[in-house]
């Protein structure tokens, strides 16, 4: 419906312009053109849209708002295309303008989407057609997941993985070239500690692949960290080891490579299960660019040496007692840190190819605890002059994952939860629920079916539970809640898709497959032309279906996948109300076919929407 909203906005602006030519010219001159303030109607009884601009203009124009609204309405009548788009506008209260789209237009919009694989969502290429801007072709980077080598991938990384993947899918669907970067923690002091420790306790791990397993490696890392903190001699050796590694010593490099490989394979198993793709570009990738960061900052006059460390002091933020806060770029011992790597990454990502990625939007998905880190490095990058016009760096923070007790998620024994176990448990619980349900319904299904449904629903539940929360808040992990068949859950949404597939099995014609090659009419041919709707439940569903494009646009701008979840949940509820209250298969034509068209479009919208969240759907469950 975005296209219609834009058309209406243009017409309203033109009407205002013609109603008040002098004021409009003056406002344009001042850089803030008269705004009709078009917005979706806040209540269904107001129609589809409302325009409340008259109220704000009363002072500027020296007229009562109702008079202004009347003048706009008078001009609208003469506006080309308006009568085809809208019914007679209604002026309400002190001067609100309520606008209702023509029902036949809405029905035609629904029909146009039958079999359209994009469901009315334009691609960036279509939008910028003729504009020739670089915006559409420049890659968007989503930096997500990003676990650390030789450490366990934890639930925080799982959140980043799930949210980052959903954002990447939305951006890809819109037609942006997306780089899905896994900024793996594969460099730095931790390797010095680990290699030093392993040389003493398990030297075979440094020369032979898989000599120890990852669980042991994590334990070794913990021991190494303890020794590093407690034992000065160990610390000194570990630091020498880092220098050797960073200097390219072949023995150290080989050991490092083995350790990374082993972790990498473990991470990959999780990505494979979740069907999430990522390109690994770890911290080590930026090692050759660290010196240049220091040189650039020096040249920009930003570097200050403070107690031997090279820093940039931040503007607009201060620490305890108003002391200025630094971003440390190079430590007094010459070493670089997490922030330096991120600065090098920004510089590389924004630089034009072939020296860099040429990105114009870089999105970082991490826990909210890193907000200050990113605010700091973003500021330094901006002041260093690395941001080309129109480029943006965006931190997408999320809250903690908590157990049902509101504390940090732990196993019963008090250990950190392993992701593999967490996914296994979701699938197992799903399987148990399914077997119970099958027994109750006296249905028999083969094992392959049970396995497939349990896997799909279990993983969908884990992803959806995470995505449906506003990511900024902490989130309580509960298997019972995420697997429930009622409420804003994956099973509820998947069930709506299954319900519609059931309509087809009962003889409802839902049309052929969607296709991108202009064969839309083939899928639409199965339905009446024009579609005919009479019941309020039908119109409610029509209006809900037509919101999809606006929701996608919103997620692209605000990077909040929970908006898409809320929409899909609302759509399922509106659909279920429609299907429970209005006969479909038993209705007469053209109602029957028109209602089946709504079923088809609902299923397509749910499938596409869930697909953008990285969630697969089922035909039966
Ligand atoms: N490895 C980091 C961690 O586990 C996350 C990295 C996020 N990305 C970045 N460019 N800093 O917390």
């Amino acid at each position: 419906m975005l296209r219609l909203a834009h058309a209406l906005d243009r017409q309203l602006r033109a009407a205002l312009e013609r109603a008040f030519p002098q004021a409009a010219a003056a406002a344009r001159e001042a850089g803030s053109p008269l705004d009709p303030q078009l917005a979706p109607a806040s209540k269904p009884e107001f129609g589809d849209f409302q325009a409340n601009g008259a109220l704000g203009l009363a002072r500027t124009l020296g007229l009562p708002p109702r008079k202004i609204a009347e003048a706009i309405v008078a001009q609208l009548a003469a506006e080309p295309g308006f009568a085809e788009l809208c019914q007679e506008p209604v002026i309400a209260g002190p001067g609100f303008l309520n606008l209702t789209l023509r029902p036949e237009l809405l029905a035609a919009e629904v029909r146009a989407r039958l079999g359209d694989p994009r469901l009315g969502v334009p691609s960036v290429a279509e939008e910028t057609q003729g504009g020739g801007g670089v915006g559409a072709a420049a890659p968007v980077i989503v930096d997500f997941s990003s676990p650390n080598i030789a450490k366990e991938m934890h639930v925080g990384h799982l959140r980043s993985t799930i949210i980052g993947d959903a954002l990447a899918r939305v951006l890809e669907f819109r037609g942006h070239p997306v780089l899905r970067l896994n900024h793996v923690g594969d460099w730095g002091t931790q390797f010095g500690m680990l290699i030093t420790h392993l040389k003493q306790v398990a030297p075979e791990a440094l020369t032979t692949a898989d000599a120890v397993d990852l669980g042991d490696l994590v334990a070794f890392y913990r021991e190494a960290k303890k020794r590093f903190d407690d034992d000065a001699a160990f610390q000194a050796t570990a630091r020498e080891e880092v220098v050797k590694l960073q200097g390219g010593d072949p023995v150290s490099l080989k050991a490092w490579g083995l350790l990374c490989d082993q972790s990498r394979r473990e991470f990959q198993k999780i990505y494979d299960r979740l069907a999430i793709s990522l390109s690994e570009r770890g911290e080590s990738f930026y090692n050759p660019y660290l010196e240049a960061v220091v040189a650039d900052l020096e040249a920009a006059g930003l570097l200050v040496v403070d107690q031997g460390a090279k820093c940039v002091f931040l503007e607009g933020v201060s620490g305890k007692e108003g002391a200025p806060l630094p971003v440390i770029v190079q430590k007094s011992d010459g070493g670089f840190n997490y922030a330096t790597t991120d600065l090098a990454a920004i510089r590389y990502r924004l630089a034009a190819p072939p020296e860099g990625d040429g990105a114009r939007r870089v999105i970082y998905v991490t826990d909210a605890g890193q907000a200050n880190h990113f605010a700091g490095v973003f500021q330094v990058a901006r002041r260093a002059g690395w941001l080309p016009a129109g480029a943006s760096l965006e931190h997408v923070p999320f809250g903690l994952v908590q157990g049902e007790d509101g504390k940090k998620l732990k196993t019963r024994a008090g250990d950190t939860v392993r992701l593999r176990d967490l996914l296994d448990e979701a699938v197992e619980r799903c399987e148990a629920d399914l077997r119970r349900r099958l027994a109750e319904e006296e249905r028999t299904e083969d094992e392959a079916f049970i396995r497939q449904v349990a896997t799909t629903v279990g993983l969908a539940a884990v992803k959806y539970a995470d995505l449906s929360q506003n990511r900024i808040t902490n989130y309580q992990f509960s298997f019972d809640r995420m697997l429930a068949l009622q409420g804003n859950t994956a099973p509820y949404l998947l069930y709506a898709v299954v319900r519609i597939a059931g309509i087809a099995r009962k003889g409802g014609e839902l049309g052929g497959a969607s296709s991108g090659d202009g064969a839309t009419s083939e899928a639409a041919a199965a339905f009446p032309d024009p579609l005919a709707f009479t019941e309020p439940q039908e119109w409610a569903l029509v209006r809900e279906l037509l919101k999809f494009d606006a929701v996608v646009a919103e997620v692209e701008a605000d990077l909040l996948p929970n908006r898409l979840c809320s929409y899909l949940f609302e759509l399922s509820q509106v659909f279920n109300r429609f299907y429970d209250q209005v006969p479909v298969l038993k209705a007469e034509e053209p109602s029957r076919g028109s209602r089946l068209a709504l079923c088809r479009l609902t299923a397509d919208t749910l499938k596409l929407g869930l697909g953008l969240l990285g969630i697969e759907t089922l035909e039966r469950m």
Side-chain angles (χ1 to χ4, degrees):
M1 212 133 68
L2 271 184
R3 195 176 50 81
L4 300 183
H6 290 151
L8 196 54
D9 186 58
R10 269 194 308 277
Q11 292 168 353
L12 277 161
R13 284 175 191 274
L16 248 177
E17 186 79 43
R18 264 187 293 113
F20 306 101
Q22 280 171 350
R28 230 182 309 112
E29 202 108 308
S32 57
L34 298 187
D35 186 355
Q37 293 184 18
L38 184 69
S42 56
K43 287 192 186 150
E45 45 292 15
F46 298 161
D48 292 299
F49 295 100
Q50 55 193 44
N52 298 348
L55 277 80
L57 292 173
R59 272 199 38 211
T60 329
L61 299 175
L63 283 170
R66 256 196 108 84
K67 282 267 168 305
I68 300 172
E70 281 164 14
I72 299 174
V73 172
Q75 291 300 332
L76 272 177
E79 198 50 48
F82 178 75
E84 287 78 48
L85 197 59
C86 264
Q87 297 180 345
E88 183 65 25
V90 175
I91 301 172
F96 302 118
L97 217 55
N98 292 341
L99 298 154
T100 304
L101 294 169
R102 292 208 163 275
E104 61 275 20
L105 197 69
L106 296 177
E109 284 287 308
V110 167
R111 204 164 191 292
R113 289 180 194 192
L114 295 169
D116 166 15
R118 301 197 57 84
L119 298 183
V121 177
S123 71
V124 267
E126 286 166 51
E127 275 178 352
T128 48
Q129 228 165 40
V134 287
V140 177
I141 289 177
V142 186
D143 172 320
F144 71 108
S145 194
S146 309
N148 302 309
I149 300 289
K151 294 192 206 170
E152 201 78 67
M153 188 172 171
H154 55 68
V155 282
H157 295 122
L158 181 67
R159 269 207 107 172
S160 173
T161 308
I162 291 171
I163 296 171
D165 176 59
L167 296 177
R169 284 179 198 257
V170 170
L171 292 159
E172 284 156 355
F173 179 67
R174 284 276 289 133
H176 296 284
V178 175
L179 285 173
R180 300 162 155 257
L181 294 186
N182 201 358
H183 192 81
V184 172
D186 66 354
W187 206 237
T189 356
Q190 77 245 44
F191 286 94
M193 305 177 205
L194 187 60
I195 293 175
T196 309
H197 185 57
L198 286 175
K199 272 188 178 164
Q200 294 165 16
V201 298
E204 66 283 7
L206 300 173
T207 51
T208 320
D210 301 319
V212 297
D213 65 49
L214 188 73
D216 295 335
L217 214 53
V218 171
F220 284 133
Y221 175 76
R222 238 178 269 136
E223 291 165 20
K225 173 88 175 83
K226 189 157 179 346
R227 287 181 72 186
F228 186 86
D229 293 340
D230 298 347
D231 172 352
F234 181 87
Q235 200 181 102
T237 323
R239 287 197 195 283
E240 281 163 31
E241 198 57 61
V242 182
V243 176
K244 266 203 232 161
L245 175 65
Q246 300 191 334
D249 173 77
V251 178
S252 304
L253 271 180
K254 168 152 198 223
W256 171 75
L258 286 176
L259 297 173
C260 289
D261 271 346
Q262 192 163 8
S263 292
R264 188 174 290 137
R265 267 180 283 127
E266 217 51 43
F267 300 153
Q268 193 55 44
K269 284 186 201 155
I270 300 283
Y271 301 142
D272 287 345
R273 277 189 82 170
L274 296 171
I276 285 175
S277 75
L278 272 151
S279 310
E280 184 178 323
R281 200 199 269 169
E283 295 182 13
S284 61
F285 175 88
Y286 301 100
N287 193 41
Y289 306 100
L290 298 172
E291 297 284 358
V293 166
V294 179
D296 258 24
L297 297 177
E298 182 94 70
L302 296 175
L303 269 196
V304 176
V305 179
D306 189 53
Q307 298 167 41
K310 291 185 180 159
C311 326
V312 177
F313 281 95
L314 294 174
E315 287 171 348
V317 275
S318 47
K320 279 194 202 107
E321 288 148 25
L325 277 182
V327 168
I328 299 175
V329 180
Q330 191 165 22
K331 294 180 277 189
S332 53
D333 66 3
F336 301 104
N337 54 32
Y338 186 53
T340 327
T341 304
D342 262 321
L343 287 170
I346 293 175
R347 193 169 166 274
Y348 187 92
R349 291 166 178 185
L350 294 177
E355 280 76 36
D357 296 315
R360 283 296 168 275
R361 189 177 190 190
V362 189
I363 293 164
Y364 296 81
V365 189
T366 78
D367 61 282
Q370 302 198 33
N372 288 339
H373 162 74
F374 284 111
V377 294
F378 292 173
Q379 184 191 116
V380 173
R382 196 161 293 122
R383 286 163 63 197
W386 296 338
L387 268 73
S392 72
L393 300 169
E394 297 165 57
H395 181 217
V396 169
F398 54 80
L400 301 173
V401 184
Q402 301 171 321
E404 286 181 78
D405 54 4
K407 300 206 189 97
K408 207 172 156 194
L409 190 67
K410 288 256 154 74
T411 63
R412 276 205 194 102
D415 300 323
T416 45
V417 178
R418 288 198 314 177
L419 296 188
R420 202 185 335 149
D421 298 340
L422 183 147
L423 299 177
D424 285 346
E425 184 166 351
V427 173
E428 277 158 26
R429 283 184 185 234
C430 243
E431 187 176 324
D433 286 352
L434 177 60
R435 287 187 193 279
R436 213 172 304 128
R437 202 155 43 82
L438 290 176
E440 271 167 27
E441 295 171 7
E442 296 179 6
R443 262 167 72 191
T444 37
E445 296 286 357
D446 59 28
E447 286 302 305
F449 172 85
I450 294 176
R451 231 22 246 168
Q452 203 227 337
V453 172
T455 309
T456 307
V457 178
L459 297 179
V462 171
K463 287 188 181 183
Y464 191 82
D466 200 328
L467 294 167
S468 57
Q469 304 284 318
N470 184 321
R471 57 174 164 73
I472 298 167
T473 52
N474 293 343
Y475 131 69
Q476 279 190 8
F477 191 95
S478 158
F479 282 117
D480 288 334
R481 224 174 306 141
M482 72 175 69
L483 293 172
L485 272 171
Q486 290 302 326
N488 188 7
T489 65
Y492 180 77
L493 297 188
L494 292 178
Y495 193 71
V497 177
V498 166
R499 207 174 175 193
I500 300 171
I503 299 172
R505 284 195 293 274
K506 281 184 237 149
E509 168 63 73
L510 294 184
S514 302
S515 68
D517 51 14
T520 308
S521 51
E522 203 192 302
F527 304 100
D529 190 8
L531 298 174
F533 301 119
T534 50
E535 305 305 313
Q537 292 92 334
E538 294 174 313
W539 287 114
L541 183 52
V542 165
R543 293 197 150 88
E544 199 58 38
L545 286 166
L546 295 179
K547 285 181 193 163
F548 182 67
D549 58 346
V551 173
V552 172
E554 219 183 302
V555 177
E556 182 188 357
D558 301 343
L559 307 177
L560 288 169
N562 62 302
R563 297 270 171 77
L564 180 54
C565 296
S566 304
Y567 166 73
L568 296 174
F569 178 47
E570 181 67 25
L571 175 63
S572 304
Q573 286 181 306
V574 174
F575 171 78
N576 283 329
R577 221 169 291 141
F578 154 82
Y579 195 62
D580 291 338
Q581 298 174 2
V582 180
V584 175
L585 291 172
K586 296 208 173 89
E588 300 287 326
E589 291 298 351
S591 282
R592 186 177 187 273
S594 302
R595 288 171 190 169
L596 285 170
L598 292 181
C599 295
R600 162 68 186 259
L601 189 54
T602 303
D604 283 357
T605 307
L606 287 172
K607 285 184 204 164
L608 178 56
L610 286 167
L612 293 179
L613 298 171
I615 293 174
E616 248 183 87
T617 56
L618 295 159
E619 297 292 294
R620 293 196 312 127
M621 67 190 259

